[in-house]
Amino acid sequence: MAKSRFEYVKLFEHHETALPNTWMVVRLDGRGFHRFSALHEFEKPNDARALELMNEAARECMLAFPDIVLAYGESDEMSFVLDRRSNLFKRRKSKVMSTIVSLFSSTYVMRWSRFMRDKEGRPIELQACPHFDARVVCYPTLQNLKDYLSWRQADCHINNLYNTAFWLLVLKKGLTEQEAESRLRGTFSADKNEIMFSECGVNYNNEPAMFRKGSVILWADMEEEVTGQRTMPDGTTKTVTSTRRRRQPVVTAQDMIGPAFWEEHADVFAVET
Amino acid sequence: MAKSRFEYVKLFEHHETALPNTWMVVRLDGRGFHRFSALHEFEKPNDARALELMNEAARECMLAFPDIVLAYGESDEMSFVLDRRSNLFKRRKSKVMSTIVSLFSSTYVMRWSRFMRDKEGRPIELQACPHFDARVVCYPTLQNLKDYLSWRQADCHINNLYNTAFWLLVLKKGLTEQEAESRLRGTFSADKNEIMFSECGVNYNNEPAMFRKGSVILWADMEEEVTGQRTMPDGTTKTVTSTRRRRQPVVTAQDMIGPAFWEEHADVFAVET
Amino acid sequence: MAKSRFEYVKLFEHHETALPNTWMVVRLDGRGFHRFSALHEFEKPNDARALELMNEAARECMLAFPDIVLAYGESDEMSFVLDRRSNLFKRRKSKVMSTIVSLFSSTYVMRWSRFMRDKEGRPIELQACPHFDARVVCYPTLQNLKDYLSWRQADCHINNLYNTAFWLLVLKKGLTEQEAESRLRGTFSADKNEIMFSECGVNYNNEPAMFRKGSVILWADMEEEVTGQRTMPDGTTKTVTSTRRRRQPVVTAQDMIGPAFWEEHADVFAVET
Amino acid sequence: MAKSRFEYVKLFEHHETALPNTWMVVRLDGRGFHRFSALHEFEKPNDARALELMNEAARECMLAFPDIVLAYGESDEMSFVLDRRSNLFKRRKSKVMSTIVSLFSSTYVMRWSRFMRDKEGRPIELQACPHFDARVVCYPTLQNLKDYLSWRQADCHINNLYNTAFWLLVLKKGLTEQEAESRLRGTFSADKNEIMFSECGVNYNNEPAMFRKGSVILWADMEEEVTGQRTMPDGTTKTVTSTRRRRQPVVTAQDMIGPAFWEEHADVFAVET
């Protein structure tokens, strides 16, 4: 069996690498999630369970690849930011991107039943294969990276403002979907806030921050309570609870468009050169 | 909220496309499957259930993307061949690759419990997130594509011959893993066949074809039995079974190194230009 | 002097390679040649001297890089086709392209005065730096390559038909450039042929083939007369003329759109795989 | 003539663009210049005329493409740095690179006889086509760019120190080339300085800066004397000389490894973002 005769085909492989010293961003985007969310009756305009499932899958990716310094999720998309010094997979774009999207997808399914439960706590059956496309983009400066994250967070804001107003009109005021669409056509942010407040009695700013800001996932030292059995000098065992600190990806809902976030987390992004 | 101020960051995206009129091959490769298979006690040297799960995930990808004309799987890797005329996602490499690896991964988890059951039929718990990396390679001519698939199938043969002999020596003859390794060091194919036959009483050619050849998945018209209720003219209902033909991805274990396979399936690959 | 401290910057280099087993085509295109040709009073609609200078520069490139199997020139552009088996510069696109365009450009200037002479044979002074941009494109099949060359030759035909009619109307019939443009607007090929024939007394088919078809440069065995001094047995010298055969790039004006050209030169392009 | 039937081949073109907001560097490197310089009897170890010709060709490129903020030349290589905000040719790498190397090459030939003259001032005949390869590399930060230029200048220093010592030993002390090579093998910079000083009576630091540092070409406002004829009120003409300021590329030999250069020219490189 002449194996070597065929091996020349490896020469056709081409591994594009990300430019060194740039911020690699891997963005995942759900495919067909309009249909997928309808099929599983996601709550409108936001399904907290589904968002938390997205966040859990993102946290799993961060734990597997500590070079990810931040993840940002909104709706059915998730962005991962890799440290600009990262040499993960020698910065081969395909490998970085495919491994992350694969792990994210399998985790999404694996943790589905933990998050997706009905009001009685019964698991909702997964009836279709959720999947995501991925892309990798490089940003050369911190300002470019800030603008990228601001772009996504502004997108989250605009979509969520619209969707919240839309579904309030439909679910609370009883408008048809067409009527709600007409009502909102051409309105500005202030108009939508006013419609929600005066017509639906809802102050948009009181909506959950995760809906309004998306999910910002960062590493933090967390205290964990660890409970274990300890054998005492006299041979007896005793249940002991201690706390330990561990770095973990933690979900928050901070604003990344203003400067405060970047000042607070300057150490994460402050890379000389 | 000035959205537009940030939108310039889209210009940093770069979508590489696969050269038109070439065979795009997406190859997935399990990450850390040595550990993953040990954790779930896969059978040695081959676990038919795990291979069938791989095949099922591949079939799901073919059903979602009919431009895939052939998939070939061995061990924890799977190659997808797209028709050279395919314009899937405008041939954007990242999108083609990421979508396939994502769907494959989520299907692998979703179908896990259907395939991975112990001898009593009880589902084996999934204890880690299986994931895969992906790459896309273009082959300009049919001969290059044949050589690619022959390369993978030769790889399957060589690995499986070794592994089968190795595990027979360990499991049947009681050698330690080190002893088995020493016994096989420097041996040729004929030697391994002889060791299996004379020392372990096993004729390698009688091993299952899926183990020896890998899995070749092709589209075929399959007859399905469809059973339904039909309402009769008199208002009664009757259970009716009929057959219908449908194109489906079908798993086989054919040899792709010799010419017969290519003659038999010439229509699939016979593209002018 | 710490040299090594800086060497990391080499890691930022990225050398894209052309897909193996494809036809690499390097196309050069004159930059600002409208102005350049006006400045040097090129003859309208075609300047045979300038075209021959282009061909000479192309021949020089072929002599330097024998992997070029064909060059095709029209107006201020030149295409070079590399053998699909070529491994020139390991198929690094930048290197292949930049070296060819550089050699072409320097030869164009170096040979300028040999070709660009006025009617009295006096050299025309070069008053601006001629330069070209370049691109490299890969074609996977011979049919794609044929279509590429047909595309350029059809472009040559269409442009030359228009330009010949235009300048006949201006130079021979005394129309202004605007009038000539109006006269030709919306006309088909047959109309232009008719205008030239009936209004200007010119049969387009009798125009020089190099103008109508462009220049196809191929390798051919050419006989050369070589004259040298030979020392005779008696010590005297004698002038001796002999012929020898040598492979040389030869300019022709063949049609590449029909099948005859490809049948005649099948050996050049007939690559198995 | 069916033109459109062939136009699909344009789809095979792929235009890679440089990542926005990075410093694009185009580096040219003479091909076969060892032989080329021997053929034209370049002076050893440095030929000032040839270096000035290189600089002249670089200046021509800067005048044609004002986005080039700095050029750096040593020996037969030249680096061009484009402003990080440059949108030249939409940052298409092939076009940027090929146009610069083409213009550089044709200028090199066109200006050859102005610079390359023997001691009696007679032009030296150009006997071979000089040509260059080119590559384009992107640097995301100013520090990376500084390190790139320091890398090239350190390379210039190391090569020139060796070459100066080598040719002094050969030309002044009468060693053979092999002897000179042996004499210098394993020596450090200090050793070479000492050899030159004590054995050849040459203080390396008194060598021309262009040889030791290479050529740094920057834009500067230069005063030009312009002489013209002016028509006076009484109808007579008078020769008038005036000065005007014009931005021009100016050749210097500054050190770019230390911080002083970057402080002095901070305005050129100080780009926010």
Side-chain angles (χ1 to χ4, degrees):
Chain A
M1 177 81 46
K3 183 184 179 183
S4 58
R5 173 160 66 95
F6 306 126
E7 287 219 70
Y8 79 91
V9 298
K10 282 186 77 166
L11 296 171
F12 291 68
E13 293 191 14
H14 169 67
H15 301 292
E16 211 189 343
T17 55
L19 190 66
N21 197 25
T22 58
W23 301 97
M24 250 191 279
V25 175
V26 176
R27 181 164 84 246
L28 314 186
D29 201 14
R31 291 197 66 244
F33 260 59
H34 194 78
R35 204 185 138 275
F36 182 82
S37 61
L39 185 65
H40 298 93
E41 296 176 353
F42 280 17
E43 285 162 23
K44 294 293 181 186
N46 292 286
D47 189 311
R49 304 164 303 172
L51 294 175
E52 279 160 10
L53 173 55
M54 290 287 289
N55 292 344
E56 175 68 10
R59 291 179 70 252
E60 198 72 40
C61 292
M62 292 176 75
L63 288 166
F65 303 108
D67 282 4
I68 301 170
V69 294
L70 179 152
Y72 175 70
E74 55 147 333
S75 183
D76 60 352
E77 81 168 45
M78 184 65 65
S79 296
F80 294 97
V81 179
L82 281 89
D83 192 305
R84 71 186 303 154
R85 295 161 300 187
S86 173
N87 200 28
L88 180 62
F89 301 132
K90 295 180 186 159
R91 299 180 75 86
R92 281 167 47 178
K93 287 183 177 181
S94 297
K95 195 140 185 172
V96 169
M97 175 176 61
S98 61
T99 308
I100 289 176
V101 74
S102 174
L103 181 56
F104 188 92
S105 305
S106 58
T107 306
Y108 190 95
V109 176
M110 204 166 151
R111 301 281 182 250
W112 171 270
S113 60
R114 181 186 297 174
F115 289 86
M116 299 306 293
R117 294 182 171 260
D118 64 18
K119 272 163 191 140
E120 284 73 39
R122 287 173 307 218
I124 293 166
E125 195 197 352
L126 183 57
Q127 296 171 73
C129 286
H131 55 291
F132 303 83
D133 66 31
R135 70 196 70 200
V136 58
V137 192
C138 293
Y139 291 105
T141 65
L142 182 55
Q143 188 58 52
N144 294 146
L145 178 65
K146 288 177 184 177
D147 290 345
Y148 170 79
L149 290 167
S150 297
W151 175 52
R152 299 322 302 148
Q153 196 165 45
D155 180 81
C156 173
H157 170 76
I158 287 164
N159 290 335
N160 193 63
L161 191 65
Y162 181 90
N163 290 337
T164 305
F166 178 90
W167 287 105
L168 280 171
L169 291 172
V170 170
L171 300 175
K172 202 152 180 179
K173 287 210 53 185
L175 272 62
T176 66
E177 300 197 6
Q178 277 83 350
E179 288 166 348
E181 207 184 310
S182 301
R183 184 72 187 84
L184 294 173
R185 194 171 297 137
T187 58
F188 294 104
S189 295
D191 305 323
K192 295 191 190 75
N193 274 303
E194 180 60 23
I195 288 170
M196 286 186 271
F197 190 70
S198 59
E199 300 186 23
C200 312
V202 165
N203 183 339
Y204 180 71
N205 290 325
N206 295 338
E207 289 292 293
M210 181 169 72
F211 297 170
R212 289 182 295 113
K213 298 291 182 192
S215 297
V216 178
I217 315 181
L218 286 163
W219 290 96
D221 283 326
M222 298 299 286
E223 291 204 344
E224 282 183 325
E225 283 210 344
V226 185
T227 302
Q229 298 298 107
R230 187 180 295 170
T231 305
M232 306 307 286
D234 64 0
T236 62
T237 58
K238 196 176 143 188
T239 299
V240 176
T241 299
S242 62
T243 59
R244 66 172 183 197
R245 298 183 66 81
R246 213 163 58 129
R247 263 181 97 59
Q248 285 214 322
V250 174
V251 181
T252 68
Q254 304 169 71
D255 176 87
M256 299 185 294
I257 297 177
F261 175 85
W262 301 97
E263 285 156 19
E264 186 186 347
H265 299 288
D267 57 317
V268 178
F269 302 99
V271 186
E272 70 287 8
T273 69
Chain B
M1 178 77 50
K3 181 184 180 182
S4 57
R5 172 161 65 96
F6 306 126
E7 287 220 67
Y8 80 91
V9 297
K10 281 186 76 166
L11 296 171
F12 290 67
E13 294 192 12
H14 168 68
H15 300 293
E16 210 190 344
T17 55
L19 190 67
N21 198 24
T22 58
W23 301 96
M24 248 191 280
V25 174
V26 176
R27 181 165 82 247
L28 315 185
D29 201 14
R31 290 197 66 245
F33 260 58
H34 194 77
R35 204 184 136 277
F36 182 82
S37 60
L39 186 64
H40 297 93
E41 298 177 348
F42 281 16
E43 286 163 24
K44 292 294 182 187
N46 292 286
D47 189 310
R49 304 163 304 171
L51 293 175
E52 278 160 13
L53 173 55
M54 290 287 291
N55 292 343
E56 177 66 12
R59 291 178 70 251
E60 198 73 38
C61 291
M62 292 176 75
L63 288 166
F65 303 109
D67 283 4
I68 300 171
V69 294
L70 178 152
Y72 175 70
E74 54 145 335
S75 183
D76 61 351
E77 81 167 47
M78 184 65 66
S79 297
F80 294 97
V81 178
L82 281 89
D83 192 305
R84 71 185 303 154
R85 294 160 301 187
S86 173
N87 200 28
L88 180 63
F89 301 132
K90 294 181 187 158
R91 300 181 75 85
R92 281 168 48 179
K93 285 183 179 182
S94 295
K95 195 141 187 173
V96 169
M97 176 175 59
S98 61
T99 309
I100 289 176
V101 74
S102 174
L103 181 56
F104 188 91
S105 304
S106 58
T107 306
Y108 190 94
V109 176
M110 203 169 154
R111 301 282 182 250
W112 170 270
S113 61
R114 181 186 297 174
F115 289 86
M116 299 306 293
R117 295 183 170 258
D118 65 17
K119 278 176 184 123
E120 285 73 41
R122 289 174 304 219
I124 294 166
E125 195 196 352
L126 183 57
Q127 296 172 73
C129 286
H131 56 291
F132 302 83
D133 66 30
R135 70 196 69 199
V136 58
V137 191
C138 293
Y139 291 104
T141 64
L142 182 54
Q143 186 59 51
N144 294 147
L145 178 64
K146 288 177 184 178
D147 289 345
Y148 171 78
L149 290 167
S150 298
W151 175 51
R152 299 322 302 148
Q153 197 165 46
D155 180 81
C156 173
H157 170 76
I158 287 164
N159 289 336
N160 194 63
L161 190 66
Y162 181 90
N163 291 336
T164 305
F166 179 89
W167 288 104
L168 280 173
L169 291 173
V170 171
L171 300 176
K172 202 151 179 180
K173 285 210 55 186
L175 273 62
T176 66
E177 299 198 7
Q178 277 83 349
E179 287 167 347
E181 207 183 313
S182 301
R183 182 74 187 85
L184 294 173
R185 193 172 298 135
T187 57
F188 294 105
S189 294
D191 306 323
K192 294 192 190 76
N193 273 303
E194 180 60 23
I195 288 168
M196 287 188 269
F197 190 70
S198 58
E199 301 185 23
C200 312
V202 165
N203 183 339
Y204 180 71
N205 288 325
N206 294 339
E207 290 292 294
M210 182 169 71
F211 297 171
R212 289 181 295 115
K213 298 291 182 191
S215 297
V216 178
I217 315 181
L218 286 163
W219 290 96
D221 283 326
M222 298 300 287
E223 292 206 343
E224 283 183 323
E225 281 210 345
V226 185
T227 301
Q229 297 297 106
R230 187 180 293 169
T231 304
M232 305 308 287
D234 62 1
T236 62
T237 57
K238 195 176 146 189
T239 300
V240 175
T241 299
S242 62
T243 59
R244 66 171 182 198
R245 299 183 67 79
R246 214 164 58 129
R247 262 181 98 58
Q248 286 213 323
V250 175
V251 181
T252 66
Q254 304 169 70
D255 177 88
M256 299 186 293
I257 298 177
F261 175 85
W262 301 97
E263 284 157 17
E264 186 186 347
H265 300 288
D267 58 317
V268 177
F269 302 99
V271 185
E272 70 287 7
T273 70
Chain C
M1 177 78 50
K3 184 183 178 183
S4 57
R5 173 162 64 97
F6 306 126
E7 286 219 70
Y8 79 90
V9 297
K10 281 186 75 166
L11 295 171
F12 291 68
E13 295 192 12
H14 169 68
H15 301 292
E16 210 191 345
T17 55
L19 189 66
N21 198 24
T22 59
W23 301 97
M24 248 191 281
V25 174
V26 175
R27 182 164 83 245
L28 315 184
D29 201 15
R31 290 197 67 244
F33 260 60
H34 194 78
R35 203 184 139 276
F36 182 82
S37 61
L39 185 65
H40 297 94
E41 297 177 350
F42 280 15
E43 286 163 23
K44 293 293 183 185
N46 290 287
D47 190 310
R49 304 164 304 173
L51 293 176
E52 280 161 8
L53 173 55
M54 292 285 290
N55 291 344
E56 177 68 10
R59 291 179 69 251
E60 199 72 40
C61 292
M62 292 176 75
L63 288 166
F65 302 108
D67 283 3
I68 301 171
V69 294
L70 179 152
Y72 175 70
E74 56 146 334
S75 184
D76 61 351
E77 81 166 47
M78 183 67 64
S79 296
F80 294 96
V81 178
L82 280 90
D83 192 305
R84 72 187 301 154
R85 294 160 300 187
S86 174
N87 200 27
L88 181 62
F89 301 132
K90 293 181 188 158
R91 301 180 74 87
R92 281 168 47 178
K93 285 183 178 183
S94 296
K95 195 142 188 173
V96 168
M97 175 175 62
S98 61
T99 308
I100 289 176
V101 74
S102 174
L103 181 57
F104 188 92
S105 304
S106 58
T107 306
Y108 190 95
V109 176
M110 203 169 154
R111 302 281 182 249
W112 171 269
S113 61
R114 182 186 296 174
F115 289 87
M116 299 306 292
R117 295 182 170 261
D118 65 17
K119 274 168 187 132
E120 285 72 40
R122 286 173 306 217
I124 293 166
E125 196 196 351
L126 183 57
Q127 296 171 74
C129 286
H131 57 290
F132 303 83
D133 65 31
R135 72 196 67 200
V136 58
V137 192
C138 293
Y139 290 105
T141 64
L142 182 54
Q143 187 58 50
N144 294 146
L145 178 65
K146 287 178 185 177
D147 290 345
Y148 171 80
L149 290 167
S150 298
W151 176 51
R152 299 323 301 148
Q153 196 164 47
D155 180 82
C156 172
H157 170 76
I158 287 165
N159 289 337
N160 193 63
L161 191 67
Y162 181 91
N163 290 338
T164 304
F166 179 90
W167 287 104
L168 280 172
L169 291 172
V170 171
L171 299 176
K172 201 150 180 179
K173 287 212 53 186
L175 271 63
T176 66
E177 299 198 7
Q178 279 82 349
E179 288 167 348
E181 208 184 311
S182 300
R183 183 73 186 82
L184 294 173
R185 194 171 298 136
T187 58
F188 293 105
S189 295
D191 305 322
K192 295 191 189 77
N193 274 303
E194 180 59 24
I195 287 169
M196 286 188 269
F197 190 69
S198 59
E199 299 186 23
C200 312
V202 165
N203 182 339
Y204 180 72
N205 289 325
N206 294 339
E207 289 293 293
M210 181 169 70
F211 297 170
R212 291 181 293 114
K213 298 290 182 193
S215 297
V216 179
I217 314 182
L218 286 163
W219 290 96
D221 283 326
M222 298 299 286
E223 291 205 344
E224 284 183 323
E225 281 211 344
V226 185
T227 302
Q229 296 298 106
R230 184 180 296 171
T231 305
M232 305 308 287
D234 62 2
T236 61
T237 58
K238 198 176 142 187
T239 300
V240 175
T241 300
S242 61
T243 59
R244 66 172 182 197
R245 299 183 66 82
R246 215 165 57 129
R247 264 180 95 61
Q248 287 215 322
V250 175
V251 181
T252 67
Q254 303 169 71
D255 177 87
M256 298 185 293
I257 298 176
F261 175 85
W262 301 98
E263 284 158 18
E264 187 185 348
H265 300 287
D267 57 317
V268 177
F269 302 98
V271 186
E272 71 288 7
T273 69
Chain D
M1 179 79 51
K3 184 183 179 182
S4 58
R5 172 162 65 95
F6 306 125
E7 286 219 70
Y8 79 92
V9 297
K10 281 187 77 167
L11 295 172
F12 291 68
E13 294 191 12
H14 169 67
H15 301 293
E16 210 190 344
T17 56
L19 189 67
N21 198 25
T22 60
W23 301 96
M24 247 191 281
V25 174
V26 176
R27 180 164 85 244
L28 314 185
D29 201 15
R31 289 198 66 244
F33 261 58
H34 194 77
R35 204 185 137 275
F36 182 81
S37 61
L39 185 65
H40 297 93
E41 297 176 351
F42 281 16
E43 285 163 24
K44 293 293 180 186
N46 291 286
D47 189 310
R49 305 163 303 172
L51 293 175
E52 280 161 9
L53 174 54
M54 291 287 290
N55 291 344
E56 176 68 11
R59 292 178 71 251
E60 198 72 40
C61 291
M62 291 176 76
L63 288 166
F65 302 108
D67 283 3
I68 300 171
V69 294
L70 179 153
Y72 175 70
E74 56 146 333
S75 183
D76 60 350
E77 80 166 48
M78 184 65 66
S79 296
F80 295 95
V81 178
L82 281 90
D83 192 304
R84 73 186 302 154
R85 295 160 299 187
S86 173
N87 201 26
L88 180 63
F89 302 132
K90 293 180 188 159
R91 300 180 74 84
R92 281 167 47 177
K93 287 183 177 181
S94 296
K95 194 140 186 174
V96 168
M97 175 175 61
S98 61
T99 309
I100 289 177
V101 73
S102 174
L103 181 56
F104 187 92
S105 304
S106 59
T107 306
Y108 190 95
V109 175
M110 204 168 152
R111 300 282 183 248
W112 170 270
S113 60
R114 183 187 294 174
F115 289 86
M116 298 306 293
R117 294 182 171 260
D118 65 17
K119 278 173 184 127
E120 285 73 41
R122 287 173 307 218
I124 292 167
E125 195 196 352
L126 183 57
Q127 296 171 73
C129 286
H131 56 292
F132 303 82
D133 64 33
R135 71 196 69 200
V136 58
V137 193
C138 293
Y139 290 106
T141 65
L142 182 54
Q143 188 58 52
N144 294 146
L145 178 64
K146 288 178 184 177
D147 289 344
Y148 171 80
L149 290 166
S150 298
W151 175 51
R152 299 323 301 148
Q153 196 165 45
D155 180 81
C156 173
H157 170 76
I158 286 165
N159 289 337
N160 193 63
L161 191 67
Y162 181 91
N163 290 338
T164 304
F166 178 90
W167 287 105
L168 279 172
L169 291 173
V170 170
L171 299 176
K172 202 151 180 179
K173 285 211 54 187
L175 271 63
T176 64
E177 301 197 5
Q178 277 83 350
E179 288 166 348
E181 207 183 312
S182 300
R183 183 76 186 81
L184 295 172
R185 194 170 299 136
T187 58
F188 293 105
S189 294
D191 306 321
K192 295 191 190 76
N193 274 302
E194 180 59 24
I195 287 169
M196 286 187 270
F197 190 69
S198 59
E199 301 185 23
C200 312
V202 165
N203 183 339
Y204 180 72
N205 289 325
N206 295 338
E207 290 293 293
M210 181 169 72
F211 298 171
R212 290 182 294 114
K213 298 290 182 193
S215 298
V216 178
I217 315 180
L218 286 163
W219 290 95
D221 282 327
M222 298 300 286
E223 291 206 343
E224 283 184 324
E225 282 211 344
V226 185
T227 302
Q229 296 299 108
R230 187 180 294 169
T231 304
M232 306 306 287
D234 61 2
T236 61
T237 58
K238 196 177 143 187
T239 299
V240 176
T241 298
S242 61
T243 59
R244 64 171 182 197
R245 298 183 66 82
R246 213 163 59 129
R247 262 180 98 58
Q248 286 213 324
V250 175
V251 181
T252 67
Q254 302 169 71
D255 176 87
M256 299 184 295
I257 298 177
F261 175 85
W262 301 98
E263 285 158 17
E264 186 185 350
H265 300 288
D267 57 316
V268 178
F269 303 98
V271 186
E272 71 287 7
T273 71

